[in-house]
Amino acid sequence: MLKTLDEVDPAFRADVLNGLSEPIPAIPARWLYDRRGSELFDDITRLPSYYPTRIETALLNERMGEIAGKACNGCAIVEFGSGSSTKTPLLLRAMRPAAYVPIDISGEYLRESAARVDAQFPGIPVHPVEADFTKDVVLPAAIDDLPRLGFFPGSTIGNFIPRTATDLLRHFRDILGTGAKLLIGMDRVKPVERLIAAYDDPEGVTAEFNLNLLHRINRELGGDIPVDAFAHESRWNDMLGRIEMHLVAQHDVGFAIEGRGFKFKAGETIHTENSHKYGPRGARLLLLAGGWTPLAEWTDEAEDFALILAEAQRNRFAP
């Protein structure tokens, strides 16, 4: 159903219209996650080729005792980009926090997943916050006096270029406050063939996920993009250490969004997502640049993925 002008997120409109007007057209990855996009991403996490969720979940299961002992005592767990909250029960069961605050941009999906968590853990207050966690976020007053643990799983930090990732980590520090801790998942560098397979599955789910962005633009912004004129493509950019997702024009194509025209020649792309991969030192340096001091790190046996616990310590002027 086409949304009215009052219902359309103005940030979505601005990012789409401005992004497609850039010399290198791009739309921020967060707009992939409308309700349908969130459902498709959940499907992706269960695919055989998509290893991050499987490995991270196994790590949480295997090392949760250690993680809980170091991370949380009577705290509020604040999850950034909670989605379906599939990993959250592992934390809540082990840590029994004083509150759980899921933050997500997809409001309907957020409320449904928060209700499931609330039903599963009736003794833990759940306070869902519908927000873009890259912008201003107001945490509920109910957790004002509680220590806080931020949870940012899934290597979502890899979706941001290093400069923006650093800013985001500083933003998390501002939201959670000095003394807070952060449990973050980061994907490691590995053979290119395995990386490409994870982001271009033979089942075609990632392609549908990526192309859903065009359907969303047509639905919410009154676009007339011929979706079948574009195809999903994943690429490894070795110089920048990241997987890139693109929507590639299969032939010359033109379309309009809210009356503004756009043209793409065959082979030109809309850049929709990055997934940066970090080595151990790079991951720790990124956290330090963002104002978080690493405290502990857990990896799987093959060192494909890492969970890092960090703390927002007081700023100091000496080593």
Side-chain angles (χ1 to χ4, degrees):
M1 180 182 293
L2 183 64
K3 292 190 176 183
T4 68
L5 290 177
D6 290 339
E7 294 174 318
V8 173
D9 188 326
F12 178 51
R13 177 190 290 112
D15 280 349
V16 169
L17 295 177
N18 294 336
L20 292 178
S21 302
E22 290 292 323
I24 302 177
I27 298 173
R30 64 180 176 273
W31 301 118
L32 292 164
Y33 296 91
D34 63 350
R35 181 183 176 86
R36 180 58 179 155
S38 297
E39 291 172 345
L40 286 166
F41 183 73
D42 278 349
D43 291 341
I44 290 169
T45 65
R46 291 187 284 270
L47 294 172
S49 60
Y50 192 80
Y51 60 85
T53 300
R54 184 171 61 254
I55 295 176
E56 185 177 36
T57 303
L59 265 175
L60 287 167
N61 271 311
E62 293 167 7
R63 311 304 289 272
M64 184 49 69
E66 297 173 50
I67 294 171
K70 295 177 179 291
C72 183
N73 182 16
C75 70
I77 294 178
V78 179
E79 183 170 2
F80 297 100
S82 56
S84 62
S85 301
T86 55
K87 299 163 192 166
T88 309
L90 300 174
L91 273 70
L92 301 186
R93 194 171 293 114
M95 298 182 184
R96 305 303 301 183
Y100 170 57
V101 182
I103 302 171
D104 202 86
I105 198 170
S106 181
E108 184 179 2
Y109 208 62
L110 168 71
R111 289 185 288 274
E112 291 177 2
S113 61
R116 287 195 297 271
V117 172
D118 192 41
Q120 189 175 359
F121 297 93
I124 300 175
V126 179
H127 306 283
V129 175
E130 182 180 351
D132 176 353
F133 60 69
T134 67
K135 311 296 184 185
D136 290 338
V137 175
V138 178
L139 296 179
I143 70 165
D144 281 352
D145 297 325
L146 297 175
R148 298 167 184 179
L149 170 68
F151 185 41
F152 198 41
S155 199
T156 305
I157 192 68
N159 294 153
F160 300 85
I161 62 173
R163 181 186 69 248
T164 309
T166 301
D167 290 342
L168 181 63
L169 289 168
R170 291 172 178 166
H171 180 55
F172 286 174
R173 181 189 172 104
D174 290 341
I175 293 171
L176 297 172
T178 301
K181 292 178 181 176
L182 177 69
L183 182 63
I184 185 170
M186 290 196 187
D187 197 12
R188 293 280 181 85
V189 178
K190 52 185 63 65
V192 174
E193 296 77 11
R194 193 168 171 214
L195 290 169
I196 292 292
Y199 293 86
D200 194 7
D201 56 275
E203 296 88 348
V205 184
T206 307
E208 187 178 354
F209 170 66
N210 202 7
L211 288 162
N212 179 66
L213 176 61
L214 302 183
H215 288 295
R216 180 181 185 182
I217 292 170
N218 285 345
R219 183 178 64 252
E220 297 188 20
L221 300 180
D224 61 4
I225 304 171
V227 177
D228 58 1
F230 289 86
H232 163 72
E233 184 177 299
S234 64
R235 305 172 179 175
W236 172 249
N237 186 325
D238 193 59
M239 180 62 70
L240 300 180
R242 70 191 189 195
I243 284 282
E244 298 176 355
M245 287 199 338
H246 293 259
L247 292 168
V248 185
Q250 301 301 286
H251 52 76
D252 292 356
V253 61
F255 54 85
I257 301 172
E258 292 193 344
R260 186 183 302 186
F262 299 92
K263 292 182 179 180
F264 283 77
K265 293 182 179 180
E268 292 184 331
T269 81
I270 304 170
H271 189 167
T272 56
E273 187 177 68
N274 295 314
S275 185
H276 293 81
K277 310 303 176 184
Y278 290 98
R281 290 184 179 86
R284 295 168 197 159
L285 185 60
L286 181 68
L287 283 164
L288 286 165
W292 296 90
T293 300
L295 301 177
E297 183 173 318
W298 298 270
T299 65
D300 59 294
E301 186 175 352
E303 298 189 354
D304 281 338
F305 196 94
L307 282 166
I308 304 174
L309 180 68
E311 183 177 2
Q313 298 179 346
R314 291 187 179 278
N315 292 325
R316 58 190 186 188
F317 298 99

